[in-house]
Amino acid sequence: MRKGFATRGIGFWQAGAMAALLSGTALSGTSALAQQAPPAATDASAANSSEIVVTANKREENIEKVPISIQALTAAKLEQHEVENFDDYAKLLPSVSFQSYGPSQAQIYFRGITSGSDYNGAFAGSQPTSALFLDEVPLTTIGGAVDVHLYDMSRIEALAGPQGTLFGASSLSGTLRLITNQPTHKFEAGVDASGTTFGKGSNSFGTNLDGFVNIPINDWLAFRASAFYERDGGYISNIPGTRAYPALDVNGNATTVAVSNAPYVKKNFNDTETYGGRAALGIDLDDSWTVTPSVIYQDQRAHGTFLYGPLTGNDPLYPPAGDLRVQDYTPEHNDDSWVQAALTVHGKLGNWDVTYAGGYFDREVDTEQDYSGYTVSYFESLGPAYTSFYNANGQNVDPSQVYHVHHHYTKVSHELRMSSPASEPFRLTAGLFMQRQTDRISADYYIPNFVTGDGSVPVPRCQYQGQDSDIFCSREFRVDRDYAAFADAAYDILDNLTFEAGLRLFIAKNSSQGFSGTAGRLANCPVSADPNLPCAQYYKIADESGETHRLTLTYKIDPTKLVYATYSTGYRPGGINRLPQVNPYSPDTIINYEIGTKTQWFDRKLTVNLALFDEEWHNVQISLTTPNSNGVLSIYNVGRANSRGVEGDFNLALDHLTFSGSAAYTDARTKTDFCNIDTTGNPNCALGIYIPSGTRLPVQPQFKGNLTARYHWEWKGAKPYLQASVNHQSGTDAYFVQPQPATPVPFQTAGFTTVDFSLGEQLGLWHWEAYVTNAFDERGILSLNTTCIPSTCAQFARAYPTLPREFGLKVGRKF
């Protein structure tokens, strides 16, 4: 059952943040009323990158002057590509890759820095390798990234490479920043409505309604708000299926348990409904100080599964179901509700800028999935003992497992920083940061109607919906604390030569307590003082401290061209394994060497930005089951890896025609053998090699790119346009796989290309657009996933696909 956002269990920091919100002492990163309204989403503004202002260095700077590999998707670009959610903008960011189970269930990576072990079920795992920010406030959570509905946005900034000096621990591989429009001293408003349908003969329809308003209440106060409702139609069908499980009856005799999925059969059953809104006040206390409290709420309910398959195999209990089809036997949903309250203040002390940014984030995710692939897989290896479960009367019950997990995340963050004048030859930004994030986890792996009988004992004190039907469960409470002091300085050695240096000192304190296991492991587990935990199987604390740094040298060839060289490091904290016998894992780190150039040509009509990088990933964290983990995932440090490549983007603006695109080539591989883990929790090559040196890192395609051509003109007072976009990515290894030439590997995907078209018109304050995405209905596989660990369920991998061909019509008006 969904839990509300009550104030139960709120601690000192949460209460302080909420009280500050209510009292109006909130804080903002930019002066709200001093700004002009954000520019309209025009073809000209989208074409000329010299007009894009970013805050990647926590200062407002022209993107072409920032010596960082950064790609910015402006409001115009987001509108032109019909961007509404993470999947929409991820395809425009070639350095970004991801694993996903559906909306709000994606793990985000930059430059291929992933072990591929962040699959479903690894909720007690490592912190992410990339950070997600909404304006000034971190939204990064362990588990699926928040899938923010995008409307009334200023831009998206994708910062590739370690950004730890300014953005902290989870910026090991990069940082993704979502920047909203702020209150301004100008009235404006807008509404947009769209409808979509999938392909020929589809009875699956979607609707999207968005609106915003900005009201200057007086000369020192402004209010901005937006609201949205989105319903996305489904495209995966749960088709009829039956199973005949070989089993043993209560007396040990062979029998068969016949089951059907008839109660759950439905065409296009993976629809999604999302609604919410955002509100902010801009309060100018005087000419120098601005306060902006804001709040955003989103509720998303996704039904069914967003994976189809399995793609291959001939197992009679788990046969391939066909294109965009599954045969699932249990209820499935993913409900994700969250609220973020942000407090920001921007002002001046003398000629120094002072910024405070604080936030309180509360998120609840409730997921239920068909887990019968695990049942079938274990039957194949263990026989009918794993399909023989009974009710209270000793009768066989359907052994199909169901996976249910409920996460309650909270995060409180505070940052205070000061920046010297940007016009001086020496510039300094320095500050303090802290955050406390928690995750209360309640996970049940259960068999409906299974209760105590003939010695097959479910896990006591791990009830789901009041029934003793669990065969495995987890009840955990995790707290991650981060404290940091940082400084980033730049000095103009010459008018055209600048040296920059950044340093971040950090302390990480993490704790975890609870239980994870079966009935046998719970038998001797002491009772916990926490009423939400069945017992205290473990209580562990991990403390660490360290530093990360950056050095950059920038040479300006002329006002429109520069080159830079960067040496930087990144880190991800270590942490705690949930099993008592498994030791904590250590931090992993990155050393990044990067050379880049930012250039503009032909009176700034052509922009070309390139970066070459070489990243050394040390002490790689990976989730594994090992001899001393009893089948439970634990995290180990296994070796070194390397990611090297080139990434870039370009924009060519002619009179009526604009070409733009971006691409990345990434060669990411293990650099040492990843050896099997011994009973002490350490890699031991005498026990064999898990992954040999030179193996490709998973998930990231070697090549990913996009190209867009847009033609616009004026006709009888209107501004019509035509646009075509091509997106391509090469194949991937979904997880680590042993190199086996000429042998089919179950976790490799093929490359694919999709094409989008749109045409529309702006007529005064009105605009309309008709579009088709994936026009040729290419079935690209974005990631391959299993509902349980790959070593167990490899043969039952399912595909997370690109959306099938979708037609849409959008109408809107500005006021």
Side-chain angles (χ1 to χ4, degrees), residues 185-340:
H185 195 58
K186 176 184 178 181
F187 175 81
E188 58 176 339
V191 293
D192 290 278
S194 63
T196 59
T197 185
F198 290 111
K200 182 179 179 180
S202 172
N203 63 351
S204 182
F205 300 94
T207 303
N208 196 3
L209 302 173
D210 297 282
F212 82 94
V213 63
N214 187 91
I215 304 172
I217 298 173
N218 54 39
D219 60 357
W220 56 271
L221 181 66
F223 173 74
R224 192 178 191 99
S226 62
F228 57 88
Y229 172 83
E230 178 182 1
R231 184 193 181 279
D232 297 315
Y235 50 89
I236 292 177
S237 296
N238 193 18
I239 65 173
T242 60
R243 284 178 178 157
Y245 287 106
L248 301 175
D249 66 17
V250 71
N251 297 314
N253 299 316
T255 187
T256 298
V257 180
V259 299
S260 167
N261 70 343
Y264 309 107
V265 170
K266 186 178 180 180
K267 185 177 182 179
N268 301 324
F269 79 138
N270 65 320
D271 58 290
T272 305
E273 187 176 45
T274 309
Y275 60 88
R278 184 173 72 246
L281 274 176
I283 309 167
D284 276 354
L285 302 179
D286 56 27
D287 292 341
S288 300
W289 289 88
T290 299
V291 176
T292 306
S294 65
V295 63
I296 179 171
Y297 171 77
Q298 180 173 299
D299 186 284
Q300 183 179 82
R301 302 178 184 230
H303 307 106
T305 180
F306 289 77
L307 313 177
Y308 76 95
L311 303 183
T312 60
N314 55 7
D315 193 307
L317 294 178
Y318 210 94
D323 184 39
L324 298 181
R325 294 179 175 182
V326 297
Q327 290 180 333
D328 282 357
Y329 290 76
T330 72
E332 294 177 292
H333 70 266
N334 187 76
D335 297 342
D336 188 351
S337 294
W338 57 272
V339 62
Q340 185 212 59

Side-chain angles (χ1 to χ4, degrees), residues 68-71 86 89-98 107-114 129-130 157-161 163 173-176 594 609-613 615 643-649 662-666 668 698-706 728-729:
I68 294 175
S69 181
I70 174 175
Q71 187 176 352
F86 169 74
Y89 66 79
K91 69 181 182 181
L92 302 175
L93 302 174
S95 294
V96 171
S97 58
F98 63 94
Q107 296 284 346
I108 306 171
Y109 316 109
F110 282 81
R111 293 180 174 175
I113 300 299
T114 173
T129 64
S130 60
E157 297 178 7
L159 286 61
Q163 308 294 327
S173 69
T175 300
L176 197 59
E594 184 175 319
N609 300 322
L610 290 172
L612 286 82
F613 59 88
E615 297 187 343
S643 176
R644 58 183 60 171
V646 58
E647 58 200 10
D649 60 85
S662 56
Y665 175 81
T666 307
V699 183
Q700 175 74 35
Q702 281 196 316
F703 178 83
K704 180 182 177 183
N706 61 83
H728 175 78
Q729 70 174 54

